[in-house]
Amino acid sequence: MSRNDSKYFSTTKKGEIPELKEELNSQYKDKRKDAVKKVIAAMTVGKDVSSLFTDVVNCMQTENLELKKLVYLYLINYAKSQPDLAILAVNTFVKDSQDPNPLIRALAVRTMGCIRVDKITEYLCDPLQRCLKDDDPYVRKTAAICVAKLYDINAELVEDRGFLESLKDLISDNNPMVVANAVAALAEIQDNSSKPIFELTTNTLTKLLTALNECTEWGQVFILDALSRYKAADAREAENIVERVTPRLQHANCAVVLSAVKMILQQMELITSPDVVRNLCKKMAPPLVTLLSAEPEIQYVALRNINLIVQRRPTILAHEIKVFFCKYNDPIYVKMEKLEIMIKLASDRNIDQVLLEFKEYATEVDVDFVRKAVRAIGRCAIKLERAAERCISVLLELIKIKVNYVVQEAIIVIKDIFRRYPNTYESIIATLCENLDTLDEPEAKASMIWIIGEYAERIDNADELLESFLESFPEEPAQVQLQLLTATVKLFLKKPTEGPQQMIQVVLNNATVETDNPDLRDRAYIYWRLLSTDPEAAKDVVLAEKPVITDDSNQLDPSLLDELLVNIATLSSVYHKPPDAFVTRTHSSAQKTEDGDYPEGSELGYSVSPGNPANGAASPPSSSYSMPASVAPASPPPGAPVPDLLGDLMGMDNSVVPLDQPATPARPALPIVLPASTGQGLQISAQLTKQDGQIFYSMLFENNTQVPLDGFMIQFNKNTFGLAAAGPLQVPQLQPGTSTSTLLPMVLFQNMSQGPPSSLLQVAVKNNQQPVWYFNDKFSFHVLFTEDGKMERSTFLETWRSLPDSNEVSKEFSDIVVGGVEVTLDLLASSNVFFIAKRKNANQDVFYFSASVPRGIPLLIELTTVVGNPGVKCAIKTPSPEMSAFFFEAIETLLRS
């Protein structure tokens, strides 16, 4: 549309649809064209103009390319809601696919591929087959992408009609853009298929390398990504491949550069010559450095990728550390990434430069950046033993500045340095003790208390220093309380004088009687019993030699690093997570639009919006759906005498032992769906369960962070049975070091997804302090079995006979043993799998059961086994055979339980 077409968006006439209908059927071409533009304008701003479908389709038969494009755009938007009427356009599509103009031929095939209507798909095959062999390369490259779209709609059709072979033939095309599109389509199809479809051979490799030099930049990215999956036969072949790809490092497009780097890194694993590897490292450094002169967003992506590269090949940028020095106008996210890379590249040779930079950063105005810089100094000290003393000197200089948050961060990292180099730098403890009054952050307090307890014998007034913290013991966070408890025990064991004796009595009393933190209470009981029974054993436990902490600058697991390096230049390398941690690939589940975007409500792995916000601040729930995971023991009644802990500890009376609480039946542990390592300290365990006929989502939240978490919300993505939360998530404020569980009631058929059935729940959870966390939870279908699934024998037999034999699927479980008939029947009945009849077949027992899933889908089950022997054959007959695999999983789960 041209600049003057904005007038079509401003109409306010009444009876607009009738007027448009009249104009669309006008005998004048210009009037029809203007009418279609008005329709597209109305559609663009959200008006429903689907009633004009037939009239717009009548405008398709035109020689005007602009008008044809507009009509095709309308068709793509409304064909899904009007599938029967969309058939009217098929003849024109087929005719246009043979038009003399290659632009129209390509447009027709592209549009048919974007209209995801099964009835149109069958008419697409013949035009697509012609276009894959078209004389014009523009048509061929468009047809190549269309094969990938068709595969997403109907994979079997693509395989049966031989489109995959035609696509592979296009890799030998003489036009590089056609080759690139064929590679892109095959890669897309391979991602959505479990079968090997796109396998590179030596012959294919040569063709791709030839096309690489003449492609557009995005074509080069597709080809490089494909080449990175090729495993060279030997070092010589790897060197030849790298030599052909190395010129791509000079490309202006950063995506091409990163894809080339990824491909070279993969092949370098096979190259044995140290000289060749060294030269390649030198060649990769300048393009990576050049990426850091781009705009901040590209810098950030480049830095996240460089972070991975230097963990595998630090020599690439070992001499380029200066380019990672932070500029005053760098955004904070760029500065943070540069700091991480500087720590990884720090060495004995450049540590003086690095420390000068870190010291400068510690005087910046951004508090988070300053904290990160101070912590970076400590990490360098832990990494480089020879430079540790210089790092300590810089930290002491920063402490003298007397800036509160700098001092606190310095104390935290000095504690780690003490752990790394025991009995080396303890002379600075006096300086640290001068700053006790400034400490107000839990981690800094805990670190200082650890230092006092660990070196109590060297600090003359250690008892006085600890006593200053004891005054506020009940109000301190759990982290500080735990550290204070341990430090006081250490002090008592090292200096068993009157002062520490009184302190230990106060601390143990507070920790066992006046707290509701189970971790603190349990630790206090353990210390109490140790000190009461055998103080020497207590020394062996509490004062034992601690393992030396190690450098954490390369913190990624080697196997994870390998996977991330394979995915350089993708979101995976930016998130530092494997693709399956944030993307769920489900065939036909996420419907693509023409431009390849995913529409609203598509699979959770691609797009999620949190919902069900809790009103106001989170408060402890009043319903029975939320239960604290741990309950503090009852406090002693008012006026009850507090046990003489000191007498007990000194061996005068060992009779005071905490009474065991009445045991409660243990629940089976919930599977972890969001580990603490992924959730930045928040760990979530969850499972779909059923109680009294109601489906619940049982969840356990564990807060391993340093801050309270509140305002929890949850959202379920579209799924096969439309499972959704029946109300907001009821989770009270979660203090650090605590956990809580909740039962979230669920409803069915609220959030239905299209496509094949799936037992995957895709969930988003957020709180006020953290970003949205996404996770997948695979549930067992037996949770959905309904109470009305029991059939009469006659009904069962009639239903079994009425279903075609093709609906019967069987599977054998060779290792399952049915030990007792009654126990098995009761177990299945408790999950709404109802016994119908039993018969003998030779020496085998054959059992028949019925069940039902929501919407009244019956499930007929036949189990054949020899009771007491391994091996169960399960046959299932149902009107929905596509769900049989999930029913098998459910039956197997029940039999194994």
Side-chain angles (χ1 to χ4, degrees), residues 211-222:
L212 184 62
N213 296 323
E214 303 171 36
C215 276
T216 64
E217 52 197 24
W218 296 114
Q220 291 180 36
V221 170
F222 289 129

Side-chain angles (χ1 to χ4, degrees), residues 470 473 500-512 645:
L470 285 178
F473 183 91
Q501 288 176 14
Q502 292 174 349
M503 286 171 62
I504 197 72
Q505 180 170 335
V506 172
V507 171
L508 287 175
N509 184 54
N510 281 329
T512 56
L645 300 180

Side-chain angles (χ1 to χ4, degrees), residues 13 39 76 126 174 228 287 300 322 328 354 388 449 459 479 490 535 538 548 571 592 605 651 656 658 715 720 792 863:
K13 296 177 183 176
V39 170
I76 290 170
D126 290 336
N174 56 8
S228 68
Y300 178 74
K322 283 189 177 180
Y328 75 95
V354 171
I449 292 167
I459 305 172
Q479 182 183 10
K490 286 179 182 176
V548 175
L571 274 179
K592 287 187 179 180
V656 184
Q715 173 80 10
T720 300
E792 296 297 326
L863 293 181

Side-chain angles (χ1 to χ4, degrees), residues 502-529:
Q502 292 174 349
M503 286 171 62
I504 197 72
Q505 180 170 335
V506 172
V507 171
L508 287 175
N509 184 54
N510 281 329
T512 56
V513 177
E514 298 183 12
T515 182
D516 58 357
N517 184 329
D519 294 334
L520 178 63
R521 191 174 63 248
D522 292 349
R523 187 184 293 190
Y525 281 144
I526 290 169
Y527 285 155
W528 180 1
R529 293 302 297 158

Side-chain angles (χ1 to χ4, degrees), residues 81-309:
S81 59
Q82 307 272 358
D84 295 329
L85 292 175
I87 298 295
L88 298 174
V90 165
N91 286 335
T92 308
F93 280 132
V94 174
K95 182 183 172 187
D96 283 352
S97 69
Q98 302 174 65
D99 194 275
N101 187 339
L103 292 177
I104 292 179
R105 295 201 298 275
L107 182 64
V109 172
R110 179 192 294 123
T111 308
M112 285 182 83
C114 291
I115 298 176
R116 303 177 67 88
V117 176
D118 291 336
K119 293 177 182 176
I120 286 186
T121 303
E122 25 187 274
Y123 294 101
L124 170 62
C125 295
D126 290 336
L128 182 56
Q129 232 152 12
R130 281 195 302 271
C131 290
L132 284 168
K133 294 178 172 59
D134 199 278
D135 294 336
D136 193 283
Y138 180 77
V139 180
R140 294 199 300 276
K141 83 177 185 66
T142 306
I145 296 297
C146 191
V147 173
K149 293 183 178 181
L150 183 59
Y151 188 89
D152 198 35
I153 301 168
N154 192 332
E156 288 182 11
L157 183 65
V158 171
E159 293 173 10
D160 293 344
R161 295 294 294 262
F163 286 124
L164 292 180
E165 296 307 316
S166 301
L167 210 50
K168 290 173 186 175
D169 291 342
L170 289 182
I171 292 180
S172 306
D173 199 276
N174 56 8
N175 185 286
M177 200 59 231
V178 176
V179 176
N181 276 26
V183 169
L186 283 168
E188 174 80 15
I189 291 169
Q190 182 64 78
D191 285 343
N192 290 325
S193 173
S194 56
K195 296 182 287 186
I197 288 172
F198 184 32
E199 294 180 333
L200 286 179
T201 62
T202 308
N203 187 35
T204 314
L205 175 73
T206 307
K207 291 169 183 173
L208 293 186
L209 288 170
T210 304
L212 184 62
N213 296 323
E214 303 171 36
C215 276
T216 64
E217 52 197 24
W218 296 114
Q220 291 180 36
V221 170
F222 289 129
I223 291 176
L224 286 168
D225 284 348
L227 289 173
S228 68
R229 291 196 284 265
Y230 178 75
K231 301 295 182 189
D234 51 34
R236 184 179 181 81
E237 186 182 16
E239 287 180 33
N240 290 336
I241 295 171
V242 168
E243 188 178 348
R244 299 278 295 275
V245 170
T246 303
R248 300 302 103 208
L249 293 172
Q250 313 304 321
H251 203 282
N253 187 301
C254 55
V256 175
V257 173
L258 283 175
S259 293
V261 168
K262 169 173 67 176
M263 195 266 172
I264 292 170
L265 284 172
Q266 294 301 312
Q267 300 301 333
M268 279 173 70
E269 298 295 323
L270 296 169
I271 297 174
T272 52
S273 168
D275 291 336
V276 174
V277 171
R278 196 179 307 112
N279 287 333
L280 286 174
C281 289
K282 284 181 183 177
K283 287 180 181 178
M284 281 193 281
L288 290 173
V289 169
T290 304
L291 292 178
L292 300 182
S293 58
E295 52 266 33
E297 292 79 9
I298 291 178
Q299 279 189 58
Y300 178 74
V301 172
L303 288 166
R304 293 291 281 177
N305 282 278
I306 288 170
N307 195 324
L308 298 173
I309 293 166

Side-chain angles (χ1 to χ4, degrees), residues 572-680:
S572 178
S573 65
V574 177
Y575 289 159
H576 286 190
K577 294 178 181 178
D580 54 13
F582 58 92
V583 173
T584 302
R585 295 188 182 280
T586 308
H587 179 59
S588 297
S589 58
Q591 306 295 328
K592 287 187 179 180
T593 62
E594 181 184 19
D595 298 326
D597 295 321
Y598 290 87
E600 185 180 354
S602 65
E603 290 299 319
L604 184 63
Y606 297 104
S607 74
V608 171
S609 56
N612 290 343
N615 295 326
S619 57
S622 56
S623 71
S624 61
Y625 295 137
S626 182
M627 300 150 293
S630 52
V631 182
S635 299
V642 176
D644 180 7
L645 300 180
L646 181 59
D648 181 30
L649 294 176
M650 299 308 292
M652 295 165 65
D653 180 9
N654 285 341
S655 61
V656 184
V657 180
L659 293 174
D660 292 331
Q661 299 298 316
T664 55
R667 295 184 179 183
L670 297 174
I672 296 172
V673 291
L674 180 73
S677 55
T678 304
Q680 295 178 7

Side-chain angles (χ1 to χ4, degrees), residues 493-770:
L493 291 172
K494 291 178 179 180
K495 296 181 178 180
T497 55
E498 187 177 347
Q501 288 176 14
Q502 292 174 349
M503 286 171 62
I504 197 72
Q505 180 170 335
V506 172
V507 171
L508 287 175
N509 184 54
N510 281 329
T512 56
V513 177
E514 298 183 12
T515 182
D516 58 357
N517 184 329
D519 294 334
L520 178 63
R521 191 174 63 248
D522 292 349
R523 187 184 293 190
Y525 281 144
I526 290 169
Y527 285 155
W528 180 1
R529 293 302 297 158
L530 270 172
L531 294 169
S532 312
T533 54
D534 190 349
E536 288 305 315
K539 283 186 180 181
D540 293 338
V541 172
V542 181
L543 303 180
E545 189 173 338
K546 293 161 191 63
V548 175
I549 62 172
T550 54
D551 169 32
D552 66 343
S553 55
N554 294 334
Q555 65 269 41
L556 287 178
D557 181 79
S559 59
L560 175 59
L561 181 60
D562 288 340
E563 188 171 358
L564 294 179
L565 287 170
V566 170
N567 289 288
I568 278 181
T570 67
L571 274 179
S572 178
S573 65
V574 177
Y575 289 159
H576 286 190
K577 294 178 181 178
D580 54 13
F582 58 92
V583 173
T584 302
R585 295 188 182 280
T586 308
H587 179 59
S588 297
S589 58
Q591 306 295 328
K592 287 187 179 180
T593 62
E594 181 184 19
D595 298 326
D597 295 321
Y598 290 87
E600 185 180 354
S602 65
E603 290 299 319
L604 184 63
Y606 297 104
S607 74
V608 171
S609 56
N612 290 343
N615 295 326
S619 57
S622 56
S623 71
S624 61
Y625 295 137
S626 182
M627 300 150 293
S630 52
V631 182
S635 299
V642 176
D644 180 7
L645 300 180
L646 181 59
D648 181 30
L649 294 176
M650 299 308 292
M652 295 165 65
D653 180 9
N654 285 341
S655 61
V656 184
V657 180
L659 293 174
D660 292 331
Q661 299 298 316
T664 55
R667 295 184 179 183
L670 297 174
I672 296 172
V673 291
L674 180 73
S677 55
T678 304
Q680 295 178 7
L682 172 65
Q683 180 162 296
I684 302 177
S685 305
Q687 190 172 47
L688 205 66
T689 61
K690 195 168 196 175
Q691 295 184 19
D692 301 325
Q694 165 72 45
I695 298 174
F696 294 95
Y697 200 46
S698 179
M699 305 184 75
L700 173 66
F701 294 80
E702 298 176 59
N703 183 3
N704 300 306
T705 70
Q706 307 302 321
V707 297
L709 302 177
D710 59 19
F712 283 86
M713 297 179 259
I714 191 167
Q715 173 80 10
F716 294 84
N717 198 29
K718 291 183 177 181
N719 53 78
T720 300
F721 284 97
L723 281 160
L729 187 62
Q730 301 280 0
V731 178
Q733 187 180 62
L734 203 54
Q735 294 297 328
T738 64
S739 60
T740 188
S741 57
T742 185
L743 281 177
L744 177 68
M746 304 287 285
V747 292
L748 292 162
F749 310 118
Q750 297 291 311
N751 202 16
M752 302 283 288
S753 68
Q754 302 300 316
S758 169
S759 60
L760 204 65
L761 270 185
Q762 298 175 314
V763 191
V765 172
K766 78 176 293 288
N767 55 65
N768 290 339
Q769 288 72 33
Q770 294 182 315

